[in-house]
Amino acid sequence: MGHNSFGTAYTVTTFGESHGPALGVIIDGVEPGFKIDEEALQAEMNRRRPGANPTGTKRNEIDQLSILSGTYEGLTTGTPIAMILYSTNQRSADYSHLEQVFRPGHADWTFFKKYGVRDIRGGGRSSGRETSARVAAGALAKQLLAKRGITIQAGTVQVGSVIAEKRNWDETDNPMTCPDKEASEKMVALIEQVRSENDSIGGIIECRINGVPAGIGEPVFGKLEALLSHAVMSIGAVKGIQFGDGFACASMRGSQFNDQRTSDGFLSNHAGGILGGISSGQEILFQAAIKPTASISRPQQTVTKQNETTSLTIEGRHDPCICSRAVVVVESMVAITLLDLYYTAFGKA
Amino acid sequence: MGHNSFGTAYTVTTFGESHGPALGVIIDGVEPGFKIDEEALQAEMNRRRPGANPTGTKRNEIDQLSILSGTYEGLTTGTPIAMILYSTNQRSADYSHLEQVFRPGHADWTFFKKYGVRDIRGGGRSSGRETSARVAAGALAKQLLAKRGITIQAGTVQVGSVIAEKRNWDETDNPMTCPDKEASEKMVALIEQVRSENDSIGGIIECRINGVPAGIGEPVFGKLEALLSHAVMSIGAVKGIQFGDGFACASMRGSQFNDQRTSDGFLSNHAGGILGGISSGQEILFQAAIKPTASISRPQQTVTKQNETTSLTIEGRHDPCICSRAVVVVESMVAITLLDLYYTAFGKA
Amino acid sequence: MGHNSFGTAYTVTTFGESHGPALGVIIDGVEPGFKIDEEALQAEMNRRRPGANPTGTKRNEIDQLSILSGTYEGLTTGTPIAMILYSTNQRSADYSHLEQVFRPGHADWTFFKKYGVRDIRGGGRSSGRETSARVAAGALAKQLLAKRGITIQAGTVQVGSVIAEKRNWDETDNPMTCPDKEASEKMVALIEQVRSENDSIGGIIECRINGVPAGIGEPVFGKLEALLSHAVMSIGAVKGIQFGDGFACASMRGSQFNDQRTSDGFLSNHAGGILGGISSGQEILFQAAIKPTASISRPQQTVTKQNETTSLTIEGRHDPCICSRAVVVVESMVAITLLDLYYTAFGKA
Amino acid sequence: MGHNSFGTAYTVTTFGESHGPALGVIIDGVEPGFKIDEEALQAEMNRRRPGANPTGTKRNEIDQLSILSGTYEGLTTGTPIAMILYSTNQRSADYSHLEQVFRPGHADWTFFKKYGVRDIRGGGRSSGRETSARVAAGALAKQLLAKRGITIQAGTVQVGSVIAEKRNWDETDNPMTCPDKEASEKMVALIEQVRSENDSIGGIIECRINGVPAGIGEPVFGKLEALLSHAVMSIGAVKGIQFGDGFACASMRGSQFNDQRTSDGFLSNHAGGILGGISSGQEILFQAAIKPTASISRPQQTVTKQNETTSLTIEGRHDPCICSRAVVVVESMVAITLLDLYYTAFGKA
C-alpha cells in the first residue's frame, strides 16, 4: 500500500496539491446502504476552510465538496466513495520567488532533497490544504461512528501561556472550540496580538472520544494509541501526542496511575481509556502539541538552492495560530482511525 | 496485513505469549548478502532480558536467540529471516488465581472483552515479554543501519522527580543508560526505594538518531514522525511521544521555533530533525513517556469476572521501573521503522 | 489496503461506476522527475473507448483523461497522481426495468446478495467501463517501463473457431490487434455474423513482454506469474490464464518441458520466461481466456427479486466480442504489475 | 506487507528453506475461541510429506507440526498462531556440485540473478518443501471453513494422456485423489513408467468448493477468481488456471455460456460459480495445470556460473509426477484465500 493511504478496513487514499486543479480522497470499505448526510459533510469542510475562523488566515476560500462515486439514490453501495474539492483560485499569487529559496520551518528543503522536483505553489503537497481531503473522509467516518453512538470532540486547551482550566465540553461554541469560555477569549486576544507582530504561536488540542465500546484496538502493532498516534502525528503541525496523564506519568507511582475498579466501574482514568492497546469502554482522552505556524512575515535566515545564505520574509495572509482550524483535522483523523478499528473488531453490520 | 506485522519494505511479524513454548519474529525484505553479527544480536537481547539490570525484576531469564531461516553460509539470502526464542521456564508459577480477576492497569479486562478467551499466564500476548521479538528484529535493523552510518541511541532522562540535566551520550554505561551519570545514581536509588515500598514509578526515555540522510519519510501518512510514533506508541508502557521541542512548542512563537539556516547549516533544531515528515539531515530527537509498571505488590481494588468488587495483591518479582529495560525496546522499534523507510527511499543496495 | 487498490510500490486505487459522474484512479509511488506524455496516455484511452473499434459496440463515447495532481511544470513530483474521466452521457438510457431483475451472466445477482443495494445503471461498478481507470494507470506504467526498455504487446489470437496461426507482432494494425492478418479478417467476419444473430462470442488474448531483465518477481507469494494472474484475472471477462506452454504441459515430459541452456542462452521457452516466480530474461508469454459478452439481445431465462422466473431480452448496442477492446486492458494490468515489481526489485532510480 | 505474506483478514506469513533447521508459518487474524483439531492438522501434513504417496519420491520424511503460540487450553486466543516444522535430516546429501551450475527448469538461475547469493541445498526457499508451511495454514483454514459448512476437494484429473472421464468425488481414495478410479490406475502405471525412464510428467488438478454462500469476493482487485488465481499460481509447479469452462469459453457463444436461471436455481454452471468476482452460491470449480517435475535423472544442457555450457544429470529420488502431492497444496491455498475473503465479507463471528 502506498503511503498516501491509511487504514485497512476503512481505507483512505488522498491526492492533491495546494494549488493544483483539485484535491480529493477515495474511501474504500464503506458499508453499503448508508445514507450520507451531505450537508453535514460540507459543514465539516467549512470548519477547516480558510476565512471562516476569525483567528485564522484572512484568505477566503470555498471548499465545496462533490461525491463522484459509491452512492446510488443517496445510499452508499459498498464500492469506493470518491470525494473531490476543486480549486477555485489556482493562479492566485506569483510563487516564482520561492523557486530558489527554502522557507524556514517548511518542508521546502526536505521535499527538494527527497524528490528533486518540488511544487512551489503554496507548498504543493506539503501544504496544510492537503488536510481538506482528510476532513472529507473524517466527516463521513463521523457519521458512520455516530450511528454506533460514538462521538469525537476536540478543542483548543492551550495557546501560548493561556491554558484552559475548565472542561465545559457543552460550551465550545467559540472560535477556538475551547471548553473554557474565558480562556478562549484570552486565546483570541493573544492570537490577534501575535498577528499584529507578524509572528505565530503554538498550542495544544485536546480530544475526547465517547461511546467507544470495550474491544477496539488490535495488538500488538495496531494498538489503539499506536494507530491514533500514527494518524494524528501525520498532521503536519503536530509535534507530540499524549494519552490520559501522558508525560505526567513519568513522576507518578503505579499506586497512583493504575485505574482501580469496583463493581460500579473504574475509579479513575489515568490511562486515557485504553489498556493494552484496547479500548476499555471509558472515555478516550489525548492531547496533541501544535507548533507555531511556520509562515511568518518577518525576515528569517535561510539558504538558496546554491546554498547561499539569504534572508526571506514570507508575504501573504497566513494563520497566526493554526489550532482553531486544526481542531477538525484532529477529529477527522481520529474518526478515520476509530472507524477502521471498529470495522476490524465488530464488522460493518 | 495483520496487526502483528509492521513495516512495508522491512516487514516484521511477531508471535508468542509470555509463557508459551516460544516467541519469535519473521522479517521479510532483508537485503541479501549481509553478514549478520549473531553475537551482537544476542547482546541486544541481553539488554532487555529479565535479571540483567539491577533496577529491573530479580527474575533471571536467558533469552537465547536462534536463527531458523534466511541465511546461507553466514549471509542473508533475501528470503525471510525467522528468529526464535524458546521459553526455558514455561511452567513456573501457578496463575490460576488470576483466572477470575482482572489486574488493575493491565490488559486483562480488555483482552477478555475483546477475545472472550485470555491466556492468563504472565499476561499472555500482552506481556512485556512480547517485546523480545521486537528487539531481535530491531537488533538486525541496527546492523543494517550501522552499515549505512546511522546510529540510534536511547537513554532514560527522567525517573519520577529525578531529571537528567546533562546529555553526555558517551557516558551512558550505567543501569539507566542515562546520559547524566549523577542523575543515573539518583534514579537507581529512587527505584530501590520504590521497590522497597512495593510500588513502581514512571519515567521518560529520550532517543537520538544520527547519520540519517535528508529524504527519509513518506508523506502524507508515512511521515517520519507518524511512523516513529506508531512504532514507539505500540510499546505497551509508552503513553506519550514528542519530537524536538515537543509540547513546549505550545508556548513558543514561530520566530523562536522555526529552524533558520545559513550556508553553514541549520542554526537550531527545534523540529527534532524532521520537516514536513521527512528527515532534514539533522539529528532526530524525541522523548517517550513511560508509565509506572502496572504490577505492584500492594492491595488494589478490582473486579472479578462476575463483576464483584475485590482486592488483589500481585505477588512475584516485578520491575519497579521499566525504563532501564525499555531503552533497548524503544531503540529497536526506531531501528525497524527507520530501516523500513530507508529501504523505501533509497532501496536495498 | 482496500480491495480497490493493487500493487505495493506502484499502487493503483480506482473508483467510479459506469453511469456515475466520473471514474478515476490515484497512483501512489510514481518516481519523481518523469515527463508524462499526455497524448500517448489519451491514445491508450482511445484504444478502449466504445465506438472506436469496428468489432465493438456502436455506442460512441469520448473518454477524455485529465490529470488532477502529482505533476508540476510537466514533471511528476513523487506525490500521488490522480487521473479522472468525466462521464459525458450520464442520463442516457432508462434502466428502471433492470431494478427488479438480474441479467444472466452479469454480476447483478451477486452484487445484490453481497451489498443489498445495487447501482443498476449500466452495471454500476461491475461494468466493463470500470477498466478505463486501469487503462489510465497502465498507460502511465507503460511509459515508465518503456524508459527501461520494457515493452508489452497483446493481441487477439482466437475468436470462436478462428485461430491465429502466425505471430507477426509487427503486423497487428488490424481491428483485433491480431498477429495474423488473415485470421484477423476471419475474426472480424465471424464477429459481424455473431452480432447479426444477436449473440456474442469469446476468444483468447495473448500477451508478450520483452526487455524484462532477470530478477523481477518476489517469491513466494509475489511470484511473477502469481501477480500477473491476480492482475489479469481481476478483469471481468477473463476466465483463465496460462503461461508458456500452459495447460499443454499436462501431457509433456520433464525432458521436453525443461528449458535447457548453453552459453549462447536458453534453447527453448516452455516456461514463458519465468522460473521460480522470477523473470529469467527471456520473453514473457501468456494467454488469457475471454468469455463471450454477457449482454445479448436474445430472450434468456432469469429471476426477479422475488425469485420468480422471467424472460429477459437485453436491448442496447453491446460488444459482440470484447477481445478487441480488452487487449489494451490486459496490457494495462500487465504494465501496472510489472512496474510494481520492477520498482520493488530495482528501485525507482 | 512483504511478499512472503498472503491475505488481509487471515494473514499467512511463511519462512524456511528446504534444508534449513525449520520451516513455519505465522497466521494472524484467526478468530478466538476455536478448538483446533491437531490430529486433523497433522493428517493434512501427511498428505504432502515425501514418502507417503506411492507415485511420489521414495524419500521418507516426517513432517511433524508443532503449534508455538496463539492457543490457551486448546482454544485459539485471537493472537497469532505460529506453527513450525523442524527438519529432521538437515545434512543429508552433499550439494556442493550444484554450487557452480544451474539446474534446468529450476529457479537456480533466477534466484542467483536476483539475490546474488543462493542456498543450494535442495533449492533452498524455491524448494517444493516450502509449501509445507502453506499446508499447515491451509489445514487450519479448512477447519474454520468446515465449521461454516464449506468444503474444498481437489484431485488429479489428468496425467499425460490419461484423462479422468468421471467425477466420482466420493471415490477419490486412490494415490492420485482422482475422481475416476480406472483413470487413477492408468495414471499410476504411467507415472511408474515415466519414473523408470528417469523422466517426469505433468498433469491437471481440478478443485471443487462447496457450501460457499453468495457474496464472497471483493471487486475490483479482490475478485474471487483473481485472489484464487494469485494463490494457486504462487505454487511453483502451476502454469495455468481456468474457472468453469475456462479456455473452452473462447469458442462459445454468449447464448451458450451465460448461466440462465429460474426460480428453482441456476440451469448451468459455465462460469464456475463466480459472477463479477463474487461467489454466486453455486459450486466453485477450477483447474490448475501442473508442469512436469524439473528434476530428472537425465543429462541436460545447462551453464555454469561462468556461463560455460555443461551437461548435468540430477541424482536423487525425485517425484516423477508432483500431482498427487500437490493436490493438498492446491486445497490449502484455496482454503487460505476463501477464509480470508469469508472473514472480509461476513466477519469472524
PDB file of all heavy atoms in Angstrom, chain D residues 142-155:
ATOM      1  N   LYS D 142      -9.108 -24.825   6.630  1.00  0.00           N
ATOM      2  CA  LYS D 142     -10.146 -25.812   6.297  1.00  0.00           C
ATOM      3  C   LYS D 142     -11.049 -26.088   7.482  1.00  0.00           C
ATOM      4  O   LYS D 142     -12.270 -26.240   7.322  1.00  0.00           O
ATOM      5  CB  LYS D 142      -9.481 -27.117   5.867  1.00  0.00           C
ATOM      6  CG  LYS D 142      -9.146 -27.179   4.411  1.00  0.00           C
ATOM      7  CD  LYS D 142      -8.591 -28.564   4.088  1.00  0.00           C
ATOM      8  CE  LYS D 142      -7.973 -28.582   2.711  1.00  0.00           C
ATOM      9  NZ  LYS D 142      -7.390 -29.911   2.429  1.00  0.00           N
ATOM     10  N   GLN D 143     -10.454 -26.208   8.665  1.00  0.00           N
ATOM     11  CA  GLN D 143     -11.276 -26.479   9.852  1.00  0.00           C
ATOM     12  C   GLN D 143     -12.214 -25.309  10.127  1.00  0.00           C
ATOM     13  O   GLN D 143     -13.379 -25.504  10.498  1.00  0.00           O
ATOM     14  CB  GLN D 143     -10.377 -26.739  11.069  1.00  0.00           C
ATOM     15  CG  GLN D 143      -9.538 -28.007  10.926  1.00  0.00           C
ATOM     16  CD  GLN D 143      -8.714 -28.320  12.168  1.00  0.00           C
ATOM     17  OE1 GLN D 143      -8.993 -27.813  13.253  1.00  0.00           O
ATOM     18  NE2 GLN D 143      -7.692 -29.143  12.009  1.00  0.00           N
ATOM     19  N   LEU D 144     -11.698 -24.114   9.924  1.00  0.00           N
ATOM     20  CA  LEU D 144     -12.520 -22.922  10.178  1.00  0.00           C
ATOM     21  C   LEU D 144     -13.608 -22.772   9.109  1.00  0.00           C
ATOM     22  O   LEU D 144     -14.691 -22.236   9.381  1.00  0.00           O
ATOM     23  CB  LEU D 144     -11.627 -21.684  10.246  1.00  0.00           C
ATOM     24  CG  LEU D 144     -10.711 -21.652  11.478  1.00  0.00           C
ATOM     25  CD1 LEU D 144      -9.509 -20.747  11.254  1.00  0.00           C
ATOM     26  CD2 LEU D 144     -11.479 -21.204  12.717  1.00  0.00           C
ATOM     27  N   LEU D 145     -13.325 -23.240   7.902  1.00  0.00           N
ATOM     28  CA  LEU D 145     -14.334 -23.218   6.837  1.00  0.00           C
ATOM     29  C   LEU D 145     -15.362 -24.327   7.047  1.00  0.00           C
ATOM     30  O   LEU D 145     -16.567 -24.125   6.818  1.00  0.00           O
ATOM     31  CB  LEU D 145     -13.659 -23.370   5.471  1.00  0.00           C
ATOM     32  CG  LEU D 145     -12.877 -22.156   4.978  1.00  0.00           C
ATOM     33  CD1 LEU D 145     -12.013 -22.528   3.782  1.00  0.00           C
ATOM     34  CD2 LEU D 145     -13.807 -20.999   4.618  1.00  0.00           C
ATOM     35  N   ALA D 146     -14.901 -25.485   7.488  1.00  0.00           N
ATOM     36  CA  ALA D 146     -15.811 -26.619   7.703  1.00  0.00           C
ATOM     37  C   ALA D 146     -16.868 -26.253   8.730  1.00  0.00           C
ATOM     38  O   ALA D 146     -18.044 -26.597   8.581  1.00  0.00           O
ATOM     39  CB  ALA D 146     -15.017 -27.837   8.155  1.00  0.00           C
ATOM     40  N   LYS D 147     -16.436 -25.526   9.747  1.00  0.00           N
ATOM     41  CA  LYS D 147     -17.367 -25.031  10.766  1.00  0.00           C
ATOM     42  C   LYS D 147     -18.492 -24.223  10.120  1.00  0.00           C
ATOM     43  O   LYS D 147     -19.601 -24.140  10.639  1.00  0.00           O
ATOM     44  CB  LYS D 147     -16.564 -24.166  11.744  1.00  0.00           C
ATOM     45  CG  LYS D 147     -17.360 -23.306  12.691  1.00  0.00           C
ATOM     46  CD  LYS D 147     -16.411 -22.414  13.516  1.00  0.00           C
ATOM     47  CE  LYS D 147     -17.180 -21.248  14.151  1.00  0.00           C
ATOM     48  NZ  LYS D 147     -16.279 -20.324  14.885  1.00  0.00           N
ATOM     49  N   ARG D 148     -18.196 -23.608   8.992  1.00  0.00           N
ATOM     50  CA  ARG D 148     -19.161 -22.785   8.268  1.00  0.00           C
ATOM     51  C   ARG D 148     -19.805 -23.545   7.099  1.00  0.00           C
ATOM     52  O   ARG D 148     -20.460 -22.946   6.230  1.00  0.00           O
ATOM     53  CB  ARG D 148     -18.467 -21.524   7.767  1.00  0.00           C
ATOM     54  CG  ARG D 148     -18.072 -20.592   8.909  1.00  0.00           C
ATOM     55  CD  ARG D 148     -17.004 -19.589   8.565  1.00  0.00           C
ATOM     56  NE  ARG D 148     -16.860 -18.591   9.620  1.00  0.00           N
ATOM     57  CZ  ARG D 148     -15.977 -18.683  10.618  1.00  0.00           C
ATOM     58  NH1 ARG D 148     -15.153 -19.704  10.682  1.00  0.00           N
ATOM     59  NH2 ARG D 148     -15.923 -17.746  11.548  1.00  0.00           N
ATOM     60  N   GLY D 149     -19.558 -24.841   7.039  1.00  0.00           N
ATOM     61  CA  GLY D 149     -20.197 -25.659   6.014  1.00  0.00           C
ATOM     62  C   GLY D 149     -19.522 -25.637   4.654  1.00  0.00           C
ATOM     63  O   GLY D 149     -20.114 -26.065   3.667  1.00  0.00           O
ATOM     64  N   ILE D 150     -18.308 -25.134   4.605  1.00  0.00           N
ATOM     65  CA  ILE D 150     -17.608 -25.027   3.320  1.00  0.00           C
ATOM     66  C   ILE D 150     -16.569 -26.137   3.204  1.00  0.00           C
ATOM     67  O   ILE D 150     -15.756 -26.323   4.107  1.00  0.00           O
ATOM     68  CB  ILE D 150     -16.938 -23.647   3.183  1.00  0.00           C
ATOM     69  CG1 ILE D 150     -17.997 -22.546   3.244  1.00  0.00           C
ATOM     70  CG2 ILE D 150     -16.123 -23.568   1.892  1.00  0.00           C
ATOM     71  CD1 ILE D 150     -17.432 -21.139   3.293  1.00  0.00           C
ATOM     72  N   THR D 151     -16.611 -26.859   2.093  1.00  0.00           N
ATOM     73  CA  THR D 151     -15.643 -27.939   1.875  1.00  0.00           C
ATOM     74  C   THR D 151     -14.889 -27.731   0.570  1.00  0.00           C
ATOM     75  O   THR D 151     -15.440 -27.226  -0.404  1.00  0.00           O
ATOM     76  CB  THR D 151     -16.346 -29.309   1.809  1.00  0.00           C
ATOM     77  OG1 THR D 151     -17.339 -29.251   0.780  1.00  0.00           O
ATOM     78  CG2 THR D 151     -17.007 -29.653   3.129  1.00  0.00           C
ATOM     79  N   ILE D 152     -13.646 -28.142   0.582  1.00  0.00           N
ATOM     80  CA  ILE D 152     -12.760 -27.984  -0.575  1.00  0.00           C
ATOM     81  C   ILE D 152     -12.214 -29.364  -0.923  1.00  0.00           C
ATOM     82  O   ILE D 152     -11.696 -30.057  -0.044  1.00  0.00           O
ATOM     83  CB  ILE D 152     -11.589 -27.045  -0.229  1.00  0.00           C
ATOM     84  CG1 ILE D 152     -12.127 -25.669   0.153  1.00  0.00           C
ATOM     85  CG2 ILE D 152     -10.613 -26.945  -1.397  1.00  0.00           C
ATOM     86  CD1 ILE D 152     -11.122 -24.830   0.909  1.00  0.00           C
ATOM     87  N   GLN D 153     -12.304 -29.714  -2.180  1.00  0.00           N
ATOM     88  CA  GLN D 153     -11.870 -31.044  -2.576  1.00  0.00           C
ATOM     89  C   GLN D 153     -11.177 -30.953  -3.920  1.00  0.00           C
ATOM     90  O   GLN D 153     -11.792 -30.577  -4.916  1.00  0.00           O
ATOM     91  CB  GLN D 153     -13.093 -31.956  -2.673  1.00  0.00           C
ATOM     92  CG  GLN D 153     -12.769 -33.428  -2.679  1.00  0.00           C
ATOM     93  CD  GLN D 153     -14.021 -34.286  -2.634  1.00  0.00           C
ATOM     94  OE1 GLN D 153     -15.123 -33.798  -2.860  1.00  0.00           O
ATOM     95  NE2 GLN D 153     -13.868 -35.564  -2.371  1.00  0.00           N
ATOM     96  N   ALA D 154      -9.894 -31.299  -3.949  1.00  0.00           N
ATOM     97  CA  ALA D 154      -9.162 -31.299  -5.212  1.00  0.00           C
ATOM     98  C   ALA D 154      -8.744 -32.714  -5.542  1.00  0.00           C
ATOM     99  O   ALA D 154      -8.684 -33.577  -4.663  1.00  0.00           O
ATOM    100  CB  ALA D 154      -7.942 -30.385  -5.121  1.00  0.00           C
ATOM    101  N   GLY D 155      -8.446 -32.925  -6.812  1.00  0.00           N
ATOM    102  CA  GLY D 155      -7.981 -34.233  -7.233  1.00  0.00           C
ATOM    103  C   GLY D 155      -7.310 -34.133  -8.591  1.00  0.00           C
ATOM    104  O   GLY D 155      -7.499 -33.154  -9.318  1.00  0.00           O
TER     105      GLY D 155
END
